[in-house]
Amino acid sequence: MLAFTKKTNSAALAFLGGGAFWFAIGATYGLFSAIDLVAPDFFQNIAVFVFGRVRPTHVNTVIYGFITSMLIGCAMYMVPALLKTRLWSERLGWVSFVLWNASVLSGPIGFPMGYTQGREYAEYLWAFDVTLMLALLALIVNIVMTIAHRRENSLYVSVWYFVGTAIWISAVYPLGNVMWHPSTGAMPGLLDSIYLWFYGHNLVGLLLTPLAVGAAYFVVPRITKTPLFSHTLSLVGFWALVVLYTHIGGHHLLQAPIPNWLKTISVVDSLMMFIPVGAVLANIWLTARGKTSLLWKDPAGRLVLFGTLFYLVTCIQGPVQSLPSVQRLTHFNNWVIGHAHIAVLGFSGFVALGAMWHVLPDVCGKKIWSQRLVSLQFGLVMIGIVGFFVVLTVAGLIQGGSWYNGETVYRSLPLITPYMVMRALLGLFIIASAWVGLVNFIMTLRHGQPHISTPIEEAPS
Amino acid sequence: MKMTPALLVIGGLMVFWASVTVAVFLPHATLNDQPSDIWKPMSEPDVAAGHKLYVRNGCSYCHSQYVRVLDWDVGSERIAEKGDYYGYEPAILGTERTGPDLSQEGGEHPDDWQLAHFVNPRITRPVSLMPAWEFLGPTEIRQLNAYVQFLGGKDADVRVARQQRWKPPAIAAWLAGPAKNVEWLHAQVPKVWQAMPNPYPATEPDLLRGQKIYQQECINCHGPVGDGQTVAANYMQPPPLNFTILRGHLVEGKYIGGIFYYQIMNGITGTAMPYFKRDLESEKIWDVSNYLAVRFLGYTDATIEPRGIPASYEPEWKNTFVAPTTQEAK
């Protein structure tokens, strides 16, 4: 029974397909949100399209459904490949897949009907927090057992990041969702915001970032056919990430009445994020040095290359906007939405897509149906994300500037109308890229030419 | 340094939990949460239910609940303190201001304004981006209103009491008929403002600016022809004023500009008429006053005596409007 769940790489393939599917759904919900901000009576009195309900659907579906699923799928292929073994249990992988997607599915089904815990990024109801945790624990068992059965002694840097992600996020998630308070998923009083933003920021820092960095560390040396530039930089990047990222959630609350020492730590460590980011990017780019044309020619490599570029943009902008003087103009407005999109879609989303197309032939044994469509996806999502970033940053500065100079929120709304229209239109490019990708994925499975997978030649330390 | 599985897992967990101790457990242990001077328990069932609705419907994605030192908008009379949130679960602070901060919203507007605004925010706020919540039905809207009127704790109580203090006389005046109503409304404006003309010329550009403001702030309650016959009138007690009747109720037969200015700036607490002193600065209010007077009364007191030295920008402009006789106005 269910013989397909025993097939090698079938669980990885399931996660990749889930990611491609949820990208299309999550981006479409983004469009509904964008329409609400252009024409609030467009969906008048249709409860399921109200902004407050579609926005969490968009956000959670993209984070957990699209990017995390896709990168878990990549990791489930990359870890065994790097360790010259197989995934310890495909069936356990499928258990993770089913449980994980139960949580993700609870978003588009539950949130539009008002079934949510309502804390930003921590909206899933307690039951679906539980399924997500069980999925994570099953993944941890699977990865640890795979490592135990490895035939390659040294652990490549990608493996560090995937293992790190699994053990960190399985602690961050229950803490941030306050799972010991099942009915509200929250702590009482102001303390809740400290839990929430520890979690909210580490969702990027200890989930999306290490997964994406791990995947980029795999793809870039492989496409450029070059061993990794530096083991030392790998170590610096890895350990500095977990030391620093974990402290900086407080920068979301600089203007709220949390303790000052916590704000100070969060700002200082935000600035120090230049260390892990610089180490990782230097390592990846120096590996690709002189061979970026190889990355550019391969649409999957191109996605990863631009993902790393957006990582730089994100991580220059992020520390700068953690400064209290900058936040006076950027907090509470669309600047932050622009930052969130360049971080989540620009960095980890690009890397997830690139890594997915890179490993897909090895995972499913078929060549990509259309490299042109991968290129098209790249072009569409590039236009979308760059446009988004510019438009939202400008809109945010307009809002922030007018508030700082004494205008009310209400008076600033007409000022951002043209930007909200442009954002909705640019969103169409992102949605198109998602659906193009999904079609290409399905066609690859159904009509792709056979592909003989190449084993990983060496696992540089 | 060689990364072994043991180093990776044990080291990774040690560093991680050390950080969690600093970033989460230490604040948890030392926050010393006590109720602030304005804090109130969420004891009324409607308030607690409204809080749940606020959380479930994602209101916090557009409304923050903490006022910062640099804020000018609603609630900026009081900077948020940690004890304001004591025991609320969740105290939902928010990250975005597509709408105003709501931490001091209680009592800003009376219940009828809030009701109309929940049914469709455009009824009271023409350029609002908030969704219409009519689909929630009357019970849930009542609960949301109870929660919103609760926001601000004891400070909100003062404002809510003020709304309730002035609602009955405002309704009584309206029920007494248009003439008595206007008489009462005029009487609520300080004497010095009543006999004050609009000091600025009602030039065409001035009136166009006034019109733009009117369309963004006033039109959905008072209507395109200023008669107050709008959807909003169905929700409000007393309903929005019909400006056209003011033609027969000029102060001393000629003044109306000062009354307009004062009522726009200050609002009429107890009625749905909000204050606009945060939204509009002085020049804009004078422009709207001239617009109301010229468009809906066919008369403005702009630049009539008494007046001081004209502002330097003022063009040569002669007020050719003739004050209506009481007989003609009726």
Side-chain angles (χ1 to χ4, degrees), chain B residues 172-229:
Chain B
W174 178 68
L175 290 172
K180 286 267 166 49
N181 188 31
V182 172
E183 205 174 291
W184 182 82
L185 288 169
H186 282 5
Q188 308 315 313
V189 175
K191 263 267 176 308
V192 290
W193 289 84
Q194 290 181 22
M196 184 190 291
N198 191 323
Y200 297 112
T203 60
E204 203 48 38
D206 178 275
L207 293 175
L208 285 171
R209 291 194 294 269
Q211 180 178 35
K212 182 175 165 62
I213 302 287
Y214 186 80
Q215 286 171 347
Q216 281 185 0
E217 307 271 359
C218 327
I219 193 164
N220 285 0
C221 285
H222 291 287
V225 294
D227 61 357
Q229 300 295 308

Side-chain angles (χ1 to χ4, degrees), chain A residues 32-46 49-51 413 417 420, chain B residues 98 119-122 125-133 135:
Chain A
F32 299 148
S33 320
I35 290 172
D36 279 330
L37 291 177
V38 172
D41 283 331
F42 189 86
F43 299 115
Q44 188 176 0
N45 281 321
I46 305 175
F49 289 123
V50 159
F51 181 80
L413 292 180
T417 304
M420 293 297 102
Chain B
T98 308
V119 168
N120 188 327
R122 262 69 59 199
R125 289 295 233 172
V127 301
S128 167
L129 290 179
M130 180 166 140
W133 294 96
F135 68 85

Side-chain angles (χ1 to χ4, degrees), chain A residues 190-191 193-194 197 249-264 266, chain B residues 27 31 80-82 85 93:
Chain A
L190 186 66
L191 182 62
S193 63
I194 293 169
W197 286 110
H251 70 206
H252 292 257
L253 298 162
L254 286 187
Q255 298 163 341
I258 63 163
N260 278 329
W261 63 265
L262 194 57
K263 296 181 190 177
T264 310
S266 72
Chain B
L31 196 66
E81 294 174 16
K82 67 178 176 182
Y85 310 94
L93 267 61

Side-chain angles (χ1 to χ4, degrees), chain A residues 36-38 40-41 44-47 50-53 55-56 111 113-120 123 147 150 153-155 159-160 163-164 167-168 171-172 175 181 183-195 197-198 206 231 235 238-239 242-243 246-247 252-253 255-259 261-262 265 327-328 331-334 336-337 399 403-411 413-414 416 420, chain B residues 1-5 7-13 15-20 22-31 33 55-62 64-74 80-83 85-101 119-122 124-136 140 212-213 216-217 278-281 284:
Chain A
D36 279 330
L37 291 177
V38 172
D41 283 331
Q44 188 176 0
N45 281 321
I46 305 175
V50 159
F51 181 80
R53 297 182 177 191
R55 192 191 115 138
F111 299 161
M113 306 213 292
Y115 295 103
T116 166
Q117 292 188 326
R119 290 157 82 247
E120 202 168 355
E123 283 95 346
I147 292 174
R150 72 191 189 276
N153 187 40
S154 59
L155 303 182
V159 179
W160 314 348
V163 172
I167 60 175
W168 297 326
V172 165
L175 268 177
H181 288 189
S183 63
T184 59
M187 295 298 286
L190 186 66
L191 182 62
D192 184 60
S193 63
I194 293 169
Y195 275 84
W197 286 110
F198 166 77
L206 295 185
H231 177 67
L235 284 168
F238 178 81
W239 290 109
V242 62
V243 169
T246 37
H247 292 115
H252 292 257
L253 298 162
Q255 298 163 341
I258 63 163
W261 63 265
L262 194 57
I265 288 178
Q327 277 204 14
R328 280 172 212 150
H331 198 56
F332 280 146
N333 58 48
N334 278 295
V336 182
I337 312 297
Q399 289 174 289
W403 301 341
Y404 195 47
N405 286 287
E407 286 292 5
T408 58
V409 169
Y410 181 76
R411 291 278 294 160
L413 292 180
I416 60 168
M420 293 297 102
Chain B
M1 181 166 148
K2 185 174 158 55
M3 286 284 260
T4 62
L7 175 66
L8 178 59
V9 173
I10 297 168
L13 285 175
V15 174
F16 172 80
W17 284 104
S19 299
V20 173
V22 173
V24 180
F25 296 151
L26 204 54
H28 187 147
T30 59
L31 196 66
D33 214 0
V55 173
R56 281 181 54 183
N57 286 293
C59 306
S60 68
Y61 304 122
C62 290
S64 60
Q65 283 200 20
Y66 60 101
V67 172
R68 316 167 292 172
V69 283
L70 53 124
D71 283 331
W72 295 66
D73 204 345
V74 179
E81 294 174 16
K82 67 178 176 182
Y85 310 94
Y86 180 78
Y88 302 157
E89 191 176 315
I92 199 136
L93 267 61
T95 49
E96 191 80 4
R97 282 188 186 166
T98 308
D101 186 275
V119 168
N120 188 327
R122 262 69 59 199
T124 62
R125 289 295 233 172
V127 301
S128 167
L129 290 179
M130 180 166 140
W133 294 96
E134 193 177 8
F135 68 85
L136 287 178
E140 295 197 342
K212 182 175 165 62
I213 302 287
Q216 281 185 0
E217 307 271 359
R278 292 189 203 276
D279 276 9
L280 304 174
E281 54 278 66
K284 296 193 175 87

